[in-house]
Amino acid sequence: MKKKILFVVTSHDQLGITKERTGFYLSEVAHPWKVLTDAGYDIDFVSPQGGKAPVDGVDLEDPVNRLFWQSGAEQEKIQQTLSPSEVIPSEYQVIFYAGGHGAMWDFPDNRELADIARQIYEAGGIVAAVCHGPAALVDLTLSDGNYLINGLQVTGFTNEEEEEVHRDQIVPFLLETKLIERGAFFRKAGKWHPFVVNDQRLITGQNPQSATAVGEEILSELRR
């Protein structure tokens, strides 16, 4: 069986009631993708609605972003993401939630994606997320009814970072605050510093600067 990892990207393309566009943040996909594909893993993409995924932060001065963006195979996957109903959880060792502000709207209440993550995790696999990707964790429960993050150490886009980009009054909730409310022990570094936490196969990164390190930590955990 091929070594496979499932990347989750948002389908949401509008920043709240504003007319500003959003989507998944390119570097938060491209950088972990590079680490994991270089190690021989195949990556599939799923989004809450399936089909074409909106993208934000398209900085092609970044060579890793450019490599991903210019890959015909990966472009095809982004243009035709799987819908949750098409995913067979047992085929994947990891589910990774990429960030981008869109994730704040359509990750938390998607029951199908939560069920996929639950099955992967309870089979001994890894749940990972970066930046706003941990929005997927705020209502993710295990088979015993407890929140996955309850009692675990996590990180994600901080309240201070959200305030600095002037989105704290636009997003539906503050991610750091919500994760703490769900019983997580929230850890963080300074604003815009790379920071990753791994607690019992739950791997989270604080911000876009943490994307490569999240990929590396996923790979390290897989090798354990």
Side-chain angles (χ1 to χ4, degrees), residues 81-163:
T81 64
L82 300 169
S83 64
S85 63
E86 295 177 292
V87 172
I88 302 172
S90 61
E91 293 184 352
Y92 301 96
Q93 296 172 273
V94 181
I95 183 169
F96 165 70
Y97 292 92
H101 274 92
M104 295 290 285
W105 278 268
D106 66 355
F107 279 8
D109 60 357
N110 191 288
R111 304 318 322 151
E112 289 181 291
L113 288 172
D115 188 55
I116 292 167
R118 181 187 309 111
Q119 291 184 59
I120 291 172
Y121 189 77
E122 292 184 339
I126 296 165
V127 172
V130 70
C131 198
H132 289 93
L137 306 176
V138 300
D139 285 327
L140 176 53
T141 57
L142 300 175
S143 295
D144 61 8
N146 291 316
Y147 291 114
L148 168 62
I149 60 175
N150 184 34
L152 297 184
Q153 299 180 70
V154 303
T155 190
F157 205 60
T158 67
N159 291 353
E160 294 89 348
E161 288 167 325
E162 201 70 85
E163 290 165 5

Side-chain angles (χ1 to χ4, degrees), residues 25 27 30 38 56 59 73 76 78 85 112 129 133 144 149 184 192 207:
Y25 206 74
S27 65
D38 282 354
D56 194 8
D59 174 15
E76 184 175 350
I78 289 299
S85 63
E112 289 181 291
D144 61 8
I149 60 175
W192 317 116
N207 46 35

Side-chain angles (χ1 to χ4, degrees), residues 56-69:
D56 194 8
V58 183
D59 174 15
L60 299 185
E61 295 298 312
D62 179 321
V64 176
N65 284 0
R66 188 167 61 250
L67 179 67
F68 177 87
W69 198 247

Side-chain angles (χ1 to χ4, degrees), residues 2-220:
K2 289 185 176 180
K3 301 186 294 183
K4 294 177 69 176
I5 293 172
L6 186 65
F7 274 35
V8 187
V9 291
T10 182
S11 298
H12 191 86
D13 65 358
Q14 183 169 322
L15 198 58
I17 62 172
T18 74
K19 294 183 179 179
E20 195 172 343
R21 311 309 288 179
T22 187
F24 75 86
Y25 206 74
L26 180 58
S27 65
E28 295 172 22
V29 165
H31 284 248
W33 164 85
K34 179 71 163 55
V35 171
L36 296 166
T37 55
D38 282 354
Y41 286 85
D42 287 341
I43 292 173
D44 290 337
F45 289 85
V46 63
S47 65
Q49 296 181 18
K52 184 178 180 179
V55 63
D56 194 8
V58 183
D59 174 15
L60 299 185
E61 295 298 312
D62 179 321
V64 176
N65 284 0
R66 188 167 61 250
L67 179 67
F68 177 87
W69 198 247
Q70 294 177 348
S71 166
E74 303 311 319
Q75 274 291 338
E76 184 175 350
K77 291 180 182 180
I78 289 299
Q79 297 292 322
Q80 302 178 32
T81 64
L82 300 169
S83 64
S85 63
E86 295 177 292
V87 172
I88 302 172
S90 61
E91 293 184 352
Y92 301 96
Q93 296 172 273
V94 181
I95 183 169
F96 165 70
Y97 292 92
H101 274 92
M104 295 290 285
W105 278 268
D106 66 355
F107 279 8
D109 60 357
N110 191 288
R111 304 318 322 151
E112 289 181 291
L113 288 172
D115 188 55
I116 292 167
R118 181 187 309 111
Q119 291 184 59
I120 291 172
Y121 189 77
E122 292 184 339
I126 296 165
V127 172
V130 70
C131 198
H132 289 93
L137 306 176
V138 300
D139 285 327
L140 176 53
T141 57
L142 300 175
S143 295
D144 61 8
N146 291 316
Y147 291 114
L148 168 62
I149 60 175
N150 184 34
L152 297 184
Q153 299 180 70
V154 303
T155 190
F157 205 60
T158 67
N159 291 353
E160 294 89 348
E161 288 167 325
E162 201 70 85
E163 290 165 5
E164 189 160 304
V165 298
H166 308 294
R167 301 289 186 267
D168 54 304
Q169 300 299 315
I170 298 172
V171 291
F173 56 89
L174 291 174
L175 183 57
E176 175 183 342
T177 300
K178 185 68 74 173
L179 292 169
I180 293 169
E181 287 175 358
R182 293 295 193 253
F185 296 107
F186 192 89
R187 296 178 56 199
K188 56 186 172 182
K191 291 182 292 187
W192 317 116
H193 287 272
F195 185 66
V196 175
V197 175
N198 181 354
D199 192 354
Q200 299 183 40
R201 295 179 287 111
L202 175 63
I203 298 170
T204 47
Q206 179 172 320
N207 46 35
Q209 290 76 12
S210 308
T212 296
V214 168
E216 291 169 345
E217 186 59 33
I218 291 171
L219 185 58
S220 294

